[in-house]
Each structure stands twice: as structure tokens, then as C-alpha cells.
Amino acid sequence: MALNTARRSARRGRRRFTRRDLVVLGLLLGIPVLLDIAIVWGPTLASVVLSFTSWDGVGAIKWVGTQNYANLFTNYPPFWPAVRHNLLWLGFLGLVSVPFGLLLAVLIDRGVRFSRFYQSTLYMPVVLSLAVVGFIAQLVFSRDQGVLNALIGNTKNPTDWLGDPKLNIWMILLAAAWRHTGYVMILYLAGLKAVDPSLKEAAAIDGASEAQTFFRVVFPTLRPVNVIVGVITVIESLRAFDIVYAVNHGRNGLEVLSVLVTDNIIGEASRIGFGSAIAVVLLAVSMGFVVTYLVQEIRGEKSR
Amino acid sequence: MTVDTAPPPTAVPASAPAVRRKGPRPGRIGVHVFLMGVSIAFLAPLLLAVYASFRPYEETSRYGYFSLPRHLSFHYYKEAFSDSGMTKYFVNTLIIAVPGVIVTLFLASFVAFAVSRLRMRGGIVLLMLFTAGNLLPQQVIVTPLYVVFNRIPLPYWMSDSMTMFDSYWAVILVQIGFQIGFCVFVLANFMRTLPQEILEAAIVDGAGVWTQFWRITLPLCRPAIAALCTLEFTWMYNDFLWALVFMSDGDKLPITSALNNLRGEFFTDYNLLAAGSVIVALPTLVVFLLLQRHFIAGLTLGSTK
């Protein structure tokens, strides 16, 4: 009732925008919208268009139809490994990092002592630059002086954790998960703090065990956080770039799509059309997730 | 006089963890052992980098990183600062990140205000435009921007390359354009939780849009803005890709990309690189530790309601 009247009067208010209000609105909405279009949406569209051309960035732009895509799928060796690695990334973060982060958040939220310490420690890797994370991965996993080989007493015939193309992606995934877990934990922690404690009390009075309380009462209320965590995980996996770039520029077993795009654009060949085609593949996959997410958001918006 | 008196309603969020306290149970100890173990595992790589940065290269190359120290010194920190000019790169980062964070938060908070408080037609479309934009992979927009920036001339006093490319403007602009989406999303969620009556009262008193935004809504958003400030500063500080693509002059690189400069072509002194990494990581760690209370509070109110 109160909300309705508020809405109505706000609607009346809209017609009462003074000239000054309109200037403020025009400027302060106009600038960010223009910026968003110029920096994000315009280039996105341009990428799609460029992906159908062959261009080196300097000469004439030649229309080649779907040739870039045909080349990409059939005759560009790093492409399929890159796709596989990105999917692996998604699977690993989604199935390892996210549940682990949730577990940590639940444990910390139970109000154990030193929770501030745990919380800051676990979140710490998140504030590190991925370039630094990539470098630290080298300290741990390097073949001759690395800590891992020394720890497992493997110095006679050391394993080349980052050089072996069969192994290195897993080590990089560990490093990525190290960072992602803390991020997930903080988001869930924030979500858990917002859960109404009386819900938990009511469940306890009804004789629910702690596990039952969590899965039947608390977890369902975390839905908005789950959605955010899901989206962030997908995006993070598709965007994966910095760690592999810092380790070995994304070669030899560490191919990912984002590095392929960058290589084709700023590499010496400057194959802009081809690089754009890879970017569009990345775009298509992420748009699938983004649209699903937004549809949900808007449904929520309408029911508000 | 029972122990379990309900806390006064205003104190509910703060004292929520203390709702049930049953004294030590074996489960508690298990939880502590587990959390402590995970914490140590999480800290170890970081401490390793710090440890390596204090030791000479000859020593670690001989005995490995996992060995007892024989010499410890600040030598590599001095080298990183004096020879490799980390100070300069740090300043470069601030030139990009400080205006970046301020402008992003200012613009985003107004958009969020307009979308969530003014109930304009098309508000949802705007919200979608920004949110979806932030979720795109950076690589999708890199190519056209690279081409366009190369063609936008700038006067010499703005950019010594005379184009948008290879100037701070390019990187700052991209940071702002790309990050606005996330901030709009978080702030719009936050502002929706503020009571509408406050604005009603202001409107009755004749407050214009600007007053409603700047004097009334914004001060109430302090927790969310503090949280975003930490996050955005960390992200812009840590960013690697934009500078890599949009800059060619090594002297303008921000500190993360400059880390690569410490890498030699044929020989890399990993202990020097470790010192560089610690220097790079320190500011964001400090910002986080100083602001973490606000950070959690802001996220709590922003992300879930």
C-alpha cells in the first residue's frame, strides 16, 4: 500500500522535472551511456563485423565471409585445445572452488573464534594481481628449484610441473582456484550474514539438524548469491588470461582463447579479422550465460 | 534471567554469530584444525615469495627455494626500486587507477540512482545495458578499440604519442567504460534497499534531481561505495591486459605489466622478480586490510537484498 502511493507520487514527480533536472539527467546519464556504447557495445559489434573480414590493421579491409571461422575450426591447431582448457577451467572452478568456498564461508559464519583472521587470510590471494599469482606459481612448481618437488622429495628426477604440457594446465588451475575460492567465500559470507537468524532458530526449535537447517532453510535463501557466484565463475573462466600469460604466454599446453585473441592482434602478423573471429566465439559462449542470467534478474525485478 | 535473552532488535545483525554458543565441542576443534590448515596452505605461497625475495639468487639456485637461509638481505628491494624504477611504474598505476576509480564511482552512482530511484521509463534497459556490458570478455572489445585508438589524434600536451593509443587516456577511459557496469549493478541493488520516504520528503521540500542524488542518496550509500572503492581499486591496480594492448612505450606501463620488465631475455633472476611481486602486491593488501570491515558490510547490504 505504502509502496503503491510512493510509486504513484514518484510518477507524478517525473512530470515535475525542472529544466535544471533535465540538464543534470541528460549529462550524468548521457556521459556514462555514451561511454558504455563507445567502449563496450560499439567495439563488440565491430568485432563481430571484423570477424568476417581479413585485415592486417593497416591495408584495405577485405570481406571474406565465414572463411575465418572455417580456418579457426579446421586449421588452427591451438583452437580446440584452447576451448578444452577454457571448459576445464570452468569445470574446475565450478566443481572445486565454488563448493570449497561455500564450505569455508559456512564454517566461518558459525561464529568460530579467529574468524576475522581466517576470513582475511583466505581472501588475501584475491587482491593479488593475477600476474603475481602466475609468478608465485612458478616459484612453487618450477622444475629444479621449486618447492613442490623439494617437498615431495622428488629432486633426483624432478617433475616439470609447468613445462609438461600434460600437467601444467592442472597446476595453473590450482593457482586459479587458490584465488577464486577466496572470492567465492567472501560473497557467500556476505550472503550468509544477511540470512535472518530467526529462520535458523525456528528450524532448530523444530528439531532440524545443522545439515538439514543448512540445506533446507539457509541454502535456498542464498539463491541470489548463487546466481552471482555462478556468473562470476563463468566469466572468470572465459576471461582467463593473466596467469597463463605470466607463466609462458599461453603456449605449450596452456592455450586459452583469450591469449589466442591477443596473440593474433598484437602479434607481428596482426591478423585482426582472424583474432576477432576467436573473440566472437568467446562472445557467443559468454552471451549464452549472460542472457540467461539477465532474464532471471529481470524476472526478479518485476516481482519486486 | 536466562542466558538466552534475545538481543535488542537494533543489534541483531551485529550479534548474529553469537546466537548459539554451547561451549567447546570436539566438532569445534576439528573446524579450527581444518580452517587453520587451509589458512596456512593459502598463506604459504605468499610467504614463500616474501622469503625468496630476501635471499640471493645463487643460494636458491643451488639449494632450491625450499631450504634454510644462509644470507638474508633487502638487496633485491633496493635493486627493484633503484635499477628497475618500480617507483615510476607505481606512479603510472596511480595515474590510471585514482581517476579511474573516482570517475567510475561517480558516474555509476548517478546511473544507479536514476535507474533505481527515479523510476524512469527504460530504467531496466539501462541497467541491462551496463550489467551485460561488464560481463563481456575483455578480448571481445580489444581489437576495435586498438584500431580506433590508433586513429584518434590527441594534442601533444595530452599524449606524447599524439594519438589516443599509447596514452594514459586510452587506458583510463577503457577502465572507466568497462567497470561502470559492475558498479551500476551493485549500487542499484543497494539503493533499492533505501527507504523511499526519505526521497519523498526531499521532493516535497522542493529538492531537484541533483540534490536528491548528491545530498540525500549518496551519503546513505557510503558502505556500498567503500566496498566498491576497494574492489575497483584492486581491479584497476591489478589489471594487466589493457596496458599491455594499448601501450607500447615501456615507460608508461603500470606496475603489473612492468613486472615483466624485471624478466630478462635470457636469464631471469627469480628472487628479484619475487621482490618485485611483493612490492606489487603490497598496496592492494594494505588497502584490503584497512578497509575490510567496510568491505564486508558493503557487500552484505549490496549483493543479497
Side-chain angles (χ1 to χ4, degrees), chain A residues 6-7 9-10 14 16-17 20-21 24-25 28-29 31-33 35-36 38-41 43-44 46-47 50 55 57 100 103-104 107-114 116-129 131-132 135-136 138-140 145-147 150-151 178 181-183 186-187 189-191 193-194 197 201 210 224-225 228 231 235 239 241-242 245-246 258 261-262 265-266 272 276 279 282-283 286-287 290 293-294 297-298 301 304, chain B residues 12 16-17 19-21 25 28 31-32 34-36 38-39 41-43 45-46 48-49 52 57 60-61 64-66 106-107 110-111 114 118-121 124 126-147 149 151 173-174 176-178 180 185 189 192 196 200 203 208-210 231 234-235 238 240-241 244-245 256 259-260 263 270 273-274 277 280-281 284-285 288-289 292-293 295-296 299-300 303-305:
Chain A
R7 211 167 268 177
S9 64
R14 201 183 49 194
R16 286 207 307 256
F17 282 147
R20 184 160 174 262
D21 287 346
V24 170
L25 273 172
L28 288 180
L29 276 182
I31 293 173
V33 169
L35 209 60
D36 201 48
I39 301 283
V40 179
W41 292 108
T44 304
S47 251
L50 280 174
W55 193 34
F100 193 50
L103 173 71
L104 292 169
L107 290 180
I108 290 176
D109 188 58
R110 287 169 59 193
V112 291
R113 225 182 285 174
F114 315 124
R116 278 289 282 287
F117 167 77
Y118 294 136
Q119 183 186 304
S120 349
T121 313
L122 297 174
Y123 187 74
M124 215 162 260
V126 186
V127 304
L128 297 182
S129 160
V132 170
F135 167 68
I136 290 179
Q138 282 177 325
L139 285 188
V140 176
Q145 294 117 37
V147 171
L151 259 182
W178 178 50
T181 304
Y183 198 8
I186 279 282
L187 290 172
L189 209 53
K193 289 214 163 128
E201 269 167 43
E210 218 156 315
V225 191
I228 292 177
V231 173
I235 297 308
R239 279 184 189 168
F241 175 79
D242 312 46
Y245 199 83
S258 56
V261 179
T262 317
I265 299 161
I266 57 174
I272 287 181
S276 303
L282 207 56
L283 173 74
S286 54
M287 272 321 254
V290 169
Y293 164 66
L294 284 178
E297 270 288 303
I298 287 168
E301 189 88 10
R304 244 184 266 258
Chain B
V12 164
V19 166
R20 276 195 308 153
R21 182 153 283 174
R25 285 175 298 154
R28 280 274 144 112
V31 166
H32 273 292
F34 177 73
L35 285 176
M36 200 44 97
V38 176
S39 297
F42 266 57
L43 269 184
L46 212 58
L48 175 75
Y57 181 76
T60 46
S61 67
Y65 291 103
F66 193 64
F106 175 73
L107 291 178
F110 189 84
V111 175
L118 293 182
R119 304 198 185 272
M120 301 182 312
R121 222 173 287 155
I124 291 187
L126 267 186
L127 192 62
M128 271 182 71
L129 187 79
F130 282 101
T131 313
N134 182 251
L135 295 175
L136 297 177
Q138 280 119 310
Q139 277 75 14
V140 175
I141 64 173
V142 151
T143 323
L145 283 179
Y146 176 83
V147 174
F149 285 167
R151 278 154 207 235
L173 212 62
V174 173
I176 296 172
F178 202 71
I180 279 184
F185 172 71
N189 275 346
R192 220 172 267 128
Q196 184 74 29
E200 301 282 307
I203 293 170
V209 168
W210 176 253
L231 263 183
T234 318
W235 285 343
N238 282 339
F240 190 72
L241 177 75
L244 194 76
V245 180
T256 37
L259 209 53
N260 259 351
R263 233 172 249 268
Y270 281 98
L273 210 50
S277 299
V280 169
T284 49
L285 283 178
F288 166 65
L289 289 176
Q292 67 162 322
R293 190 186 310 220
F295 181 73
I296 301 260
L299 275 182
T300 312
S303 66
T304 52
K305 280 184 189 164

Side-chain angles (χ1 to χ4, degrees), chain B residues 4 14 27 52 68 88 90 92 107 119 128 131 133 162 171 189 216 224 234-235 243 253 258 262 272 283 294 300:
Chain B
D4 258 325
L68 290 175
K88 182 177 64 195
F90 187 63
N92 290 346
L107 291 178
R119 304 198 185 272
M128 271 182 71
T131 313
M162 306 284 281
V171 183
N189 275 346
I216 295 160
T234 318
W235 285 343
L253 286 179
L262 294 180
L272 172 63
H294 304 281
T300 312

Side-chain angles (χ1 to χ4, degrees), chain A residues 142-180:
Chain A
S142 97
R143 181 171 173 275
D144 294 320
Q145 294 117 37
V147 171
L148 187 58
N149 277 335
L151 259 182
I152 59 176
N154 192 9
T155 40
K156 289 267 157 52
N157 185 19
T159 313
D160 194 355
W161 300 105
L162 289 181
D164 185 340
K166 286 201 191 70
L167 274 179
N168 53 10
I169 187 72
W170 296 102
M171 301 304 124
I172 296 299
L173 288 177
L174 271 183
W178 178 50
R179 211 166 158 276
H180 197 65

Side-chain angles (χ1 to χ4, degrees), chain A residues 1-303:
Chain A
M1 205 37 194
L3 193 71
N4 263 337
T5 40
R7 211 167 268 177
R8 226 174 290 133
S9 64
R11 206 160 282 158
R12 251 182 280 123
R14 201 183 49 194
R15 269 181 239 117
R16 286 207 307 256
F17 282 147
T18 61
R19 182 167 296 179
R20 184 160 174 262
D21 287 346
L22 290 176
V23 171
V24 170
L25 273 172
L27 263 179
L28 288 180
L29 276 182
I31 293 173
V33 169
L34 278 181
L35 209 60
D36 201 48
I37 290 171
I39 301 283
V40 179
W41 292 108
T44 304
L45 280 183
S47 251
V48 177
V49 173
L50 280 174
S51 72
F52 295 105
T53 68
S54 116
W55 193 34
D56 58 5
V58 188
I61 302 182
K62 216 170 69 198
W63 198 257
V64 295
T66 54
Q67 193 195 315
N68 285 329
Y69 291 95
N71 278 343
L72 188 61
F73 293 136
T74 55
N75 150 24
Y76 187 57
F79 178 70
W80 290 111
V83 171
R84 239 184 3 253
H85 292 154
N86 277 100
L87 290 177
L88 205 61
W89 209 291
L90 178 60
F92 195 81
L93 291 190
L95 298 177
V96 178
S97 260
V98 170
F100 193 50
L102 176 60
L103 173 71
L104 292 169
V106 169
L107 290 180
I108 290 176
D109 188 58
R110 287 169 59 193
V112 291
R113 225 182 285 174
F114 315 124
S115 60
R116 278 289 282 287
F117 167 77
Y118 294 136
Q119 183 186 304
S120 349
T121 313
L122 297 174
Y123 187 74
M124 215 162 260
V126 186
V127 304
L128 297 182
S129 160
L130 278 161
V132 170
V133 174
F135 167 68
I136 290 179
Q138 282 177 325
L139 285 188
V140 176
F141 298 127
S142 97
R143 181 171 173 275
D144 294 320
Q145 294 117 37
V147 171
L148 187 58
N149 277 335
L151 259 182
I152 59 176
N154 192 9
T155 40
K156 289 267 157 52
N157 185 19
T159 313
D160 194 355
W161 300 105
L162 289 181
D164 185 340
K166 286 201 191 70
L167 274 179
N168 53 10
I169 187 72
W170 296 102
M171 301 304 124
I172 296 299
L173 288 177
L174 271 183
W178 178 50
R179 211 166 158 276
H180 197 65
T181 304
Y183 198 8
V184 170
M185 179 207 67
I186 279 282
L187 290 172
Y188 274 122
L189 209 53
L192 284 169
K193 289 214 163 128
V195 173
D196 188 352
S198 63
L199 276 180
K200 282 189 240 175
E201 269 167 43
I205 290 168
D206 289 346
S209 74
E210 218 156 315
Q212 280 174 324
T213 311
F214 178 74
F215 284 109
R216 303 261 174 82
V217 180
V218 177
F219 194 69
T221 64
L222 289 178
R223 226 195 111 244
V225 191
N226 286 330
V227 174
I228 292 177
V229 167
V231 173
I232 286 174
T233 305
V234 171
I235 297 308
E236 196 92 328
S237 330
L238 291 175
R239 279 184 189 168
F241 175 79
D242 312 46
I243 298 189
V244 292
Y245 199 83
V247 167
N248 71 356
H249 286 224
R251 303 205 168 85
N252 192 27
L254 293 185
E255 292 80 6
V256 287
L257 288 172
S258 56
V259 174
L260 298 187
V261 179
T262 317
D263 274 353
N264 275 288
I265 299 161
I266 57 174
E268 269 158 37
S270 199
R271 303 203 292 167
I272 287 181
F274 190 67
S276 303
I278 308 173
V280 170
V281 172
L282 207 56
L283 173 74
V285 181
S286 54
M287 272 321 254
F289 288 99
V290 169
V291 167
T292 324
Y293 164 66
L294 284 178
V295 166
Q296 277 198 323
E297 270 288 303
I298 287 168
R299 256 185 225 147
E301 189 88 10
K302 280 195 182 136
S303 67

Side-chain angles (χ1 to χ4, degrees), chain B residues 41-116:
Chain B
F42 266 57
L43 269 184
L46 212 58
L47 295 177
L48 175 75
V50 176
Y51 181 48
S53 67
F54 286 117
R55 308 176 65 195
Y57 181 76
E58 297 73 40
E59 194 180 303
T60 46
S61 67
R62 189 114 148 263
Y63 305 104
Y65 291 103
F66 193 64
S67 58
L68 290 175
R70 286 158 185 84
H71 309 277
L72 293 173
S73 73
F74 280 99
H75 170 79
Y76 284 113
Y77 287 92
K78 274 184 215 135
E79 193 177 329
F81 272 114
S82 60
D83 301 359
S84 321
M86 293 292 264
T87 331
K88 182 177 64 195
Y89 298 121
F90 187 63
V91 171
N92 290 346
T93 291
L94 291 184
I95 291 178
I96 294 165
V98 171
V101 172
I102 294 172
V103 176
T104 305
L105 283 176
F106 175 73
L107 291 178
S109 54
F110 189 84
V111 175
F113 165 76
V115 167
S116 67

